[in-house]
Amino acid sequence: MQPAVFLDRDGTLIEEAGYLDRLERLVFFPYSVDAVRLLNRADLAVVIVTNQAGVARGIFPESFVAEAHAHLRDRLAAGGAHVDGVYYCPHHPDGTVDQYRRTCECRKPGDGMLRRAAADLNVDLARSVVVGDRWHDIQAGTTAGTRTVLVRTGYGRTEEQRPKPGVRADAIVDNLIEAVSWIVGQPR
Ligand SMILES: [Mg+2]
Ligand SMILES: [Zn+2]
């Protein structure tokens, strides 16, 4: 079994853009590709886990999510970095598109995407870390039994100022590259 780093997408790996519905709005942070490459070199599986309720809300089709992730992978590959898996939740309990309107286990703070990725990629969750900019990312990690890092990009700074009872990150850092420093400095 291998350890993994689960990265939230919007606000963590790329700029928070509200509902990202056009590729032009997909903007990496300046350090994102380096951060992923450093995780690759540290022999940590890297997995993106992202809520994409815009599908359930009819803001963009599921095919656009696939297109955005193909673009992400291309950009990472151009910088010598890669992700080992990408998991997204297209659902929302109040969605307007029937096919995606449901209460599911994959939508964070649920840990369904983490558990599925762990099964697919033979990941040891107890040696893994979730990085995200929302408390729901941290909750998902805690439920799955990973360590957790909240980043202050995206909604992170606001989230830090509004602590959630019973939810605690193992570390709170400025951004993804600092999260990577924290992760590679942890005992394995
Ligand atoms: Mg986010
Ligand atoms: Zn879902």
Side-chain angles (χ1 to χ4, degrees):
M1 296 234 282
Q2 60 176 341
V5 176
F6 296 98
L7 300 179
D8 169 53
R9 196 191 81 178
D10 302 347
T12 301
L13 179 64
I14 62 174
E15 299 261 13
E16 172 61 50
Y19 288 107
L20 176 71
D21 58 356
R22 295 195 311 277
L23 284 185
E24 309 88 86
R25 298 179 65 212
L26 193 163
V27 180
F28 276 93
F29 292 109
Y31 45 77
S32 296
V33 178
D34 292 337
V36 174
R37 196 176 51 242
L38 286 166
L39 293 172
N40 295 151
R41 290 197 179 154
D43 279 328
L44 293 157
V46 181
V47 182
I48 296 173
V49 285
T50 178
N51 283 355
Q52 292 300 324
V55 176
R57 296 188 187 283
I59 296 167
F60 46 82
E62 192 165 1
S63 60
F64 175 76
V65 178
E67 197 185 331
H69 291 161
H71 181 77
L72 271 175
R73 285 179 185 274
D74 287 348
R75 290 280 306 277
L76 289 170
H82 71 273
V83 290
D84 299 275
V86 179
Y87 294 80
Y88 63 92
C89 166
H91 311 118
H92 194 279
D94 306 322
T96 52
V97 182
D98 289 348
Q99 184 188 353
Y100 301 106
R101 181 174 53 241
R102 80 173 74 133
T103 303
C104 62
E105 291 186 347
C106 39
R107 181 172 167 76
K108 295 177 282 187
D111 66 347
M113 290 190 282
L114 301 177
R115 284 188 284 109
R116 203 171 109 216
D120 291 349
L121 303 170
N122 203 26
V123 165
D124 182 358
L125 288 166
R127 287 193 294 143
S128 298
V129 183
V130 166
V131 183
D133 69 315
R134 304 287 298 263
W135 291 123
H136 68 217
D137 300 309
I138 303 305
Q139 284 176 275
T142 302
T143 303
T146 75
R147 283 166 294 161
T148 55
V149 181
L150 183 78
V151 289
R152 295 192 178 97
T153 49
Y155 290 104
R157 201 169 290 279
T158 313
E159 293 283 80
E160 183 183 16
Q161 286 158 7
R162 293 182 199 155
K164 230 174 161 184
V167 184
R168 199 192 132 269
D170 292 298
I172 302 180
V173 299
D174 279 349
N175 56 42
L176 179 59
I177 199 80
E178 286 196 9
V180 168
S181 298
W182 185 88
I183 291 164
V184 299
Q186 292 291 299
R188 298 275 281 275

